[in-house]
Amino acid sequence: MMALDMCNIQTALAILATLCLTVSGYKNGKVEKACESMLPEHHNHPNTTTSPYTLTASVSKFSPGDQIKVTLSGDKHFQGFLMQARGASNPGGSAVGSFYLVDPKISQLLTCNNIEGSAVSHTSDAQETEIQVIWNAPPEAPPTVQFFATVVSHYKTFWVKLPGPVISEKGVTQAPPQSTTTDVFTKSAATTSLLPQPFTTEGCGRWKSCLVDPVGCNPSVDTSCFFLSYSTVSQAVLFELSGPAEGYVSFALSKDEWMGDDDVYLCTNDGGHVSVDAAYTTGRSYPEVASKSVLTDVGWRVSDGVIQCRFSRAIYTPQDLDRFSLNHSYYLFLAHGTADNGMIHRHKRQPMISTHRQLITGPPNILTGSQSPLLMKSHGSLMLIGWMLLGSTGSLMAGYFKPDWQEQTLFGQKIWFQVHRGLMSLTVLLTAVGFIFPFVYRQKWSSRAGAHPYLGCTVMILAFCQPIMAAFRPPPDSSRRWIFNWFHWGLGNAAEIIAGASMLSGIRQQSLLLPYPWTTGVLSGFVVWNIILKLVLQLHKRGVVKKGSKDEDETPVLSDISGSASWDTKFRVAVLALFVLGNSVFCVSLLNAINRI
C-alpha cells in the first residue's frame, strides 16, 4: 500500500512538473521534446524573414577528438536558443558529437538521441546577444558536419533550424549543405492579404452558413458583433471569423458539447498583426498549433478593436490527421480572449455553442447557439424561482402572518402554517433538483467557480436541515420548544442570506454569465426591496405603523378592536401582495436574461 501511494505521488509530481513546463513556455531551456524537429512549442509558425542571427565556427576542418568553438550571435537580443550539430549530408538526421559549456550561467547541455550533451540550450529567458560553446568531434563523425540553431527573439517570433557553417574532416572534400526547408513549416507571405472591409451577414442562409452573437447583429455595422460564416467552394471551405477582442477570436469544431479534443482555428492579434493558425486541443490543455499549414487564401484585418480573419481549408487534410473532415457534422464553438505577445489566455466566459450539430459542407443555414448549456440555465432558473419567489414568501408568512385568520384553517392547520410549509417544501424540492444539474454538467467539482459552489452546498445543507428539524420539533407547550424556534428561525434566515450571496456570485459564472451590470443591479434591487418591505411589516408589528383614531385616549369597544384587527390583516395582505409582485418582476427579469443568453 505504501509503495502504491509513493507511485501515485511520483506520478502526480511528474504531471505537475510537465504542466509547469508547458505553462512556462520552457523558459528554463529544458526542450528535449524539440530535439528532432528543433521546433519550439510556442503555438505559432516560425519566422521566414532573414534572421538577424548567425552561427560561426572557429575552424573549417576537424579531426576526431578536436574541440571547436561555435558562436551564436546577433544584432538583436534573443531569449532562447537550441543548438545542435548534424551530418551536412543529412540535416534531418540525429545530432552528432557533444558540447562543452563556456558559460554555464547562460547555457546548459541537453541529451538528444541518447547522447549526453549533444545539444545546448538557454537556462532562462534573460536577453542575450551572444552564446559560445565548444563542440567535441566524435570518433565516428560524418565526413562533413553542419551546425544548426533555433533562436527565439520573443515568444511568437523565432527562427527554426538556422543553418550554420559546414566543417569537414581533414582529407575530405566539403559537400554543399542540403536545404532544410522540408523539415520546417514556412508560411508563404504571398497567400496572406489584408482584408479591404468588414464581413457582412449578406448571403447568410443563402450561399453561406452563419453564426452570430448577439442574434441579428451584423459585423459590417456593429463592432460588438461576433460572427462566423462558412461556405463550400469546390473541394474547400471558406471561413470568415470576426469579433471584438483584446487578444484573439477563435472557433472550434467539436464532436460533442464539451471543450476538449477539438479542431481549433485561432486569429490572434500580435501588435497589430494577426496570425491565423489551425490548432488542436487535448482535453482542456492549451491548443497545440499545427506545425504544417492547412490554410490557404489567408486574410486579416484589425480595426476599432475588432479582429477579422478569413481563410480556406480543404475538406480532407490527409497531411494533418488532427484536422477534422469537413464532410461531417460538428458542434461549433465561438470564443474570444486576451493574449500577450501572441500567446493566448483562457477565455473568461463560456464559448457560444451551436444548438445542434452542423454539417459543414451541407446546405447554407442560419445557426443559433447559446453561451450557457441548458442544464446550467435550468439550474439558475430553479434557484431563482425557489429563493426569489417561493422561499422569500414562505419565510414572510411565518414571520408576520401568524395573528391573521385565527378562526380559519386550511386542511386542518392554520392558514399561515400551511402556506409557509407548502412554499418552503417547494423551495427545498427546487433547490435539490437544481443542485444536481451542475454536477451532471461538470461531472466533477468545479474548481474555477470561486465561492459559488461552496455557498450553494451550504444552502443545500441548511435547506435540508429545516424539514428534518421540523419533523422532530417539540410540542408547542414543551419547555424545549423555544430552542427549536430559535434554531429554525436562525437557520432559515442564514439560508436566505447565503442563497442571496450564492445568486449574486452565480450570475457571474462562465456557464451562466448574465449581462453586466444590469442583472447585478436587478438582484441587488431585489435584496433592497425585501429589506424595505420586511422593515415596514416589522414597524407595523411593533405598533409604529397603525390605524389612527379620532380620540386616542378613548377606550376602544369590542367592535373597534375587531375593526383594528381587520385593518391590520388588510395592511399585511397589501404588503404581501406588493412583496410578491415586486419579487415576481425581479425574478422574471432575470429569467428572461437567462433565456436570452
Side-chain angles (χ1 to χ4, degrees), residues 382-402:
L382 291 178
M383 293 304 186
L384 292 177
I385 294 171
W387 290 98
M388 292 184 72
L389 286 180
L390 305 179
S392 60
T393 306
S395 66
L396 194 77
M397 292 295 297
Y400 300 100
F401 287 83
K402 291 180 181 179

Side-chain angles (χ1 to χ4, degrees), residues 36-335:
E36 182 178 351
S37 66
M38 299 188 73
L39 180 68
E41 296 184 351
H42 285 199
H43 316 290
N44 197 35
H45 298 297
N47 201 316
T48 57
T49 60
T50 302
S51 165
Y53 309 105
T54 58
L55 272 173
T56 59
S58 57
V59 297
S60 60
K61 299 288 185 178
F62 72 91
S63 297
D66 284 354
Q67 294 184 343
I68 301 165
K69 181 183 289 186
V70 183
T71 302
L72 170 63
S73 60
D75 298 331
K76 296 175 57 178
H77 288 86
F78 55 89
Q79 293 180 333
F81 72 96
L82 175 64
M83 187 188 301
Q84 289 182 3
R86 299 187 178 187
S89 60
N90 184 23
S94 302
V96 298
S98 59
F99 291 90
Y100 295 120
L101 300 179
V102 174
D103 188 351
K105 292 182 180 180
I106 60 175
S107 58
Q108 63 181 325
L109 300 177
L110 302 179
T111 299
C112 292
N113 309 113
N114 297 319
I115 302 175
E116 186 175 353
S118 58
V120 187
S121 71
H122 53 283
T123 57
S124 69
D125 60 352
Q127 300 280 348
E128 304 291 344
T129 57
E130 182 178 285
I131 296 289
Q132 290 187 342
V133 292
I134 304 297
W135 181 70
N136 183 44
E140 298 180 357
T144 55
V145 173
Q146 186 173 18
F147 296 97
F148 296 93
T150 290
V151 187
V152 179
S153 175
H154 73 83
Y155 187 82
K156 298 203 77 171
T157 303
F158 54 90
W159 289 260
V160 173
K161 212 173 181 181
L162 296 176
V166 176
I167 60 175
S168 57
E169 191 172 350
K170 293 177 180 178
V172 176
T173 303
Q174 180 169 306
Q178 292 187 0
S179 172
T180 62
T181 55
T182 57
D183 299 328
V184 181
F185 165 77
T186 58
K187 183 185 291 186
S188 174
T191 63
T192 303
S193 62
L194 292 176
L195 298 173
Q197 58 189 10
F199 301 132
T200 177
T201 54
E202 182 182 355
C204 289
R206 288 183 290 167
W207 64 77
K208 63 182 179 182
S209 297
C210 299
L211 175 64
V212 296
D213 179 32
V215 175
C217 70
N218 190 334
S220 63
V221 295
D222 187 356
T223 57
S224 64
C225 183
F226 289 93
F227 172 80
L228 170 66
S229 76
Y230 54 89
S231 56
T232 303
V233 181
S234 185
Q235 295 301 308
V237 174
L238 175 66
F239 292 94
E240 296 176 332
L241 178 63
S242 173
E246 296 180 17
Y248 70 94
V249 289
S250 67
F251 75 91
L253 308 177
S254 181
K255 298 175 182 177
D256 52 36
E257 295 180 272
W258 291 90
M259 293 181 62
D261 303 323
D262 303 326
D263 187 0
V264 180
Y265 299 88
L266 299 161
C267 299
T268 308
N269 184 5
D270 186 8
H273 179 277
V274 176
S275 60
V276 184
D277 302 298
Y280 185 80
T281 57
T282 302
R284 291 179 177 265
S285 62
Y286 192 96
E288 182 177 348
V289 174
S291 59
K292 295 183 178 180
S293 176
V294 294
L295 310 181
T296 58
D297 302 322
V298 176
W300 59 268
R301 185 174 185 266
V302 178
S303 177
D304 298 326
V306 177
I307 301 173
Q308 300 173 352
C309 63
R310 180 194 64 201
F311 61 87
S312 294
R313 209 216 82 178
I315 296 175
Y316 301 102
T317 55
Q319 72 273 29
D320 188 346
L321 299 179
D322 284 335
R323 306 279 74 76
F324 293 174
S325 167
L326 301 182
N327 258 346
H328 294 85
S329 298
Y330 305 102
Y331 288 101
L332 288 163
F333 287 36
L334 191 58

